[in-house]
Amino acid sequence: MSSGGMLYGGDEIGALVFDPGHQSLRVGYAQEDTPKAEIPAVVGVGPDNTSPITDLEARPDNNITPTKNYKYYVDTTFLNVPRGSLEVQTYMKDGLIDNWDLFEKALDYVYAKVIQSESEYHPVLFSEASWNVRNNREKLTELMFEKYNVPAFFLVKNAVLAAFANGRATALVVDSGATHTSAIPVHEGYVLTQAIIKSPLGGDYLSMQCRQYLESQGIDLTPAYCIQNKDVIKERDTPRFVMKNLPDKITASWQQYMLRSLLQDFQMSAVQVLESPYDERTAAQIPAVHYEFPTGYHQDFSSERFKLAESLFDHTMLGAGQLASTSVGMCDADVRLSLYGSVVVTGGNSLLQGFPERLNRDLQLRAPSNTRLKMIAANGSIERRFGAWIGGSILASIGTFQQMWISSQEYEESGKSQVERKCP
């Protein structure tokens, strides 16, 4: 291998694994069991008032229009501070990287602050959506080799990685994330692209449902950053709190971003999926869950918390069980049994209480009677949230994988089209 027979995934050189998603970008070293950092998949763009205009820019005869300087904020420490005129933008769209300039800012931050090491020392394994397109793949390959000078690079479909993380080469991967839920059949480590089914019902859709419900109940959704102090009150009493003085011109996009995390917390603490289709009586018998909002307001939520999650399953076309069974039905008959035999559940939204159990029940009703259905949902929340990342970490540290990398030498010889040839 190039550079004096250096073994990429060996102990002395750490390969990096990147797993970009709509909720966050997961980054870390291969061979480790969890990512080193999980960075929100958004970048804050605000005016930079610090830099003085240089003479070159100020002189009008140079045909240079004085560019407005922007400052970029990445990661929660910098993003979650209220600042005036700070727009929050995401670089992802439909599971693919869309805004490359912002994405580069996120990568710069990762190398500077998370990895704290030069990019040319670390081979990089990236996960990608199963429906990624050639143009996008080549662009990422080019970016990593040209800008970051990585010694080696590889791209793998995130469904394949999620299956690997659960010890399967063949599986039906049901991935429920922030922006969508998808069912992706993987056979012997290859995605069967013709049978991918995806729906736009994911964590964000559920957050929207929660927001509509809470607002209809007249609950004040003021996020924590607005609140200076609050009084302890009795259940369902009107909250008493003092607002903070905030900087002027706080943008709508930043407020939405902060509200989203409040709703996600409510979603994970209170919302639950019933094992059978929603029924008022069954739901009312299950103990209520108590939840306190940042304003100090608190109350019990009983049957309504099940009703909210029901929308992920009871949709005739887009329910999670429906997606999975349709996807299997589009595969060859001889693969179907093995797909039903390992249904891997992954993605942050699948951490909703009762999600795998309900999916299991829905699939049992839809699967042919002679099939053995087996659900594989990792117990730990970490394993399910970072399924694809963990798969990447395993793959990049396997000895037999080391000859698979696209090395910088190969890239120089045959360019970015290598990615189509070497990465399935």
Side-chain angles (χ1 to χ4, degrees):
M1 204 161 267
S2 60
S3 55
M6 174 174 84
L7 177 65
Y8 289 131
D11 294 333
E12 67 282 353
I13 179 89
L16 297 176
V17 179
F18 287 81
D19 176 27
H22 274 270
Q23 172 68 24
S24 60
L25 165 68
R26 280 76 62 177
V27 190
Y29 285 102
Q31 293 181 332
E32 296 197 353
D33 48 7
T34 50
K36 205 168 166 62
E38 184 187 15
I39 297 161
V42 290
V43 175
V45 183
D48 186 6
N49 309 324
T50 51
S51 63
I53 294 183
T54 54
D55 314 336
L56 186 70
E57 287 177 329
R59 241 182 269 147
D61 53 346
N62 274 350
N63 283 339
I64 299 176
T65 50
T67 49
K68 202 169 175 204
N69 288 318
Y70 291 108
K71 197 167 178 192
Y72 297 92
Y73 299 89
V74 182
D75 211 356
T76 43
T77 329
F78 303 103
L79 266 177
N80 293 9
V81 183
R83 306 172 200 268
S85 316
L86 178 75
E87 292 286 355
V88 173
Q89 302 169 2
T90 176
Y91 46 77
M92 300 291 286
K93 185 179 175 193
D94 190 34
L96 313 177
I97 299 164
D98 182 51
N99 187 328
W100 290 89
D101 296 341
L102 288 184
F103 184 62
E104 280 182 48
K105 297 283 181 276
L107 286 183
D108 293 343
Y109 171 87
V110 165
Y111 279 117
K113 295 280 186 286
V114 179
I115 305 300
Q116 297 180 0
S117 165
E118 300 297 322
S119 55
E120 58 260 28
Y121 298 134
H122 304 278
V124 168
L125 177 99
F126 251 92
S127 81
E128 55 169 355
S130 303
W131 47 89
N132 202 359
V133 287
R134 176 169 187 158
N135 194 355
N136 239 359
R137 307 181 73 187
E138 290 185 350
K139 192 153 187 183
L140 182 59
T141 312
E142 191 173 27
L143 175 72
M144 294 317 287
F145 280 118
E146 299 289 346
K147 182 178 173 188
Y148 294 101
N149 299 324
V150 294
F153 175 76
F154 203 73
L155 254 181
V156 200
K157 308 262 185 276
N158 50 21
V160 173
L161 294 178
F164 284 168
N166 288 286
R168 298 288 190 280
T170 299
L172 174 67
V173 178
V174 179
D175 181 350
S176 187
T179 48
H180 51 265
T181 297
S182 52
I184 304 165
V186 177
H187 184 63
E188 300 299 339
Y190 291 93
V191 170
L192 307 175
T193 34
Q194 82 289 348
I196 295 175
I197 308 269
K198 55 187 212 281
S199 92
L201 307 184
D204 289 352
Y205 170 77
L206 190 55
S207 297
M208 197 178 74
Q209 300 279 85
C210 291
R211 183 183 177 175
Q212 286 170 351
Y213 167 72
L214 294 170
E215 284 175 350
S216 71
Q217 295 294 307
I219 293 172
D220 186 348
L221 293 178
T222 307
Y225 69 86
C226 296
I227 294 166
Q228 192 160 353
N229 52 38
K230 56 188 178 185
D231 297 345
V232 178
I233 53 167
K234 287 201 184 75
E235 191 176 335
R236 290 183 184 268
D237 271 4
T238 323
R240 296 189 298 274
F241 58 93
V242 180
M243 295 288 271
K244 254 192 202 146
N245 290 333
L246 294 174
D248 299 336
K249 293 199 268 192
I250 287 190
T251 60
S253 63
W254 188 79
Q255 289 171 333
Q256 285 298 335
Y257 165 73
M258 294 303 283
L259 179 62
R260 187 176 157 194
S261 50
L262 186 159
L263 292 167
Q264 278 166 351
D265 184 69
F266 173 75
Q267 207 163 302
M268 283 305 156
S269 318
V271 178
Q272 192 172 343
V273 188
L274 268 182
E275 201 163 326
S276 52
Y278 179 77
D279 168 53
E280 193 81 44
R281 284 214 307 282
T282 330
Q285 287 164 0
I286 297 173
V289 160
H290 196 77
Y291 187 80
E292 180 179 331
F293 292 89
T295 56
Y297 176 85
H298 56 103
Q299 72 164 75
D300 278 347
F301 291 92
S302 59
S303 58
E304 58 273 15
R305 63 199 188 93
F306 296 102
K307 203 165 184 172
L308 287 168
E310 196 61 25
S311 54
L312 296 176
F313 287 93
D314 67 356
H315 201 289
T316 38
M317 298 290 290
L318 302 174
Q322 184 66 38
L323 291 182
S325 55
T326 313
S327 173
V328 175
M330 290 167 76
C331 298
D332 279 351
D334 46 354
V335 196
R336 288 179 200 165
L337 280 173
S338 57
L339 289 177
Y340 273 129
S342 53
V343 179
V344 168
V345 182
T346 184
N349 193 42
S350 71
L351 294 174
L352 267 180
Q353 301 172 49
F355 187 98
E357 291 79 5
R358 174 65 182 275
L359 181 60
N360 189 18
R361 182 199 158 278
D362 284 6
L363 270 181
Q364 248 152 2
L365 293 177
R366 293 198 167 88
S369 50
N370 59 349
T371 48
R372 244 187 82 251
L373 182 64
K374 179 156 194 257
M375 291 288 281
I376 303 159
N379 287 335
S381 59
I382 301 238
E383 283 89 339
R384 235 185 295 161
R385 251 173 64 205
F386 305 140
W389 188 90
I390 293 170
S393 169
I394 294 168
L395 183 64
S397 53
I398 290 177
T400 47
F401 175 73
Q402 302 314 316
Q403 69 242 31
M404 311 273 286
W405 294 104
I406 303 172
S407 66
S408 47
Q409 197 178 355
E410 284 174 283
Y411 174 78
E412 273 151 29
E413 283 162 14
S414 28
K416 59 188 176 184
S417 56
Q418 280 290 73
V419 73
E420 285 296 306
R421 196 177 66 76
K422 289 198 81 168
C423 310

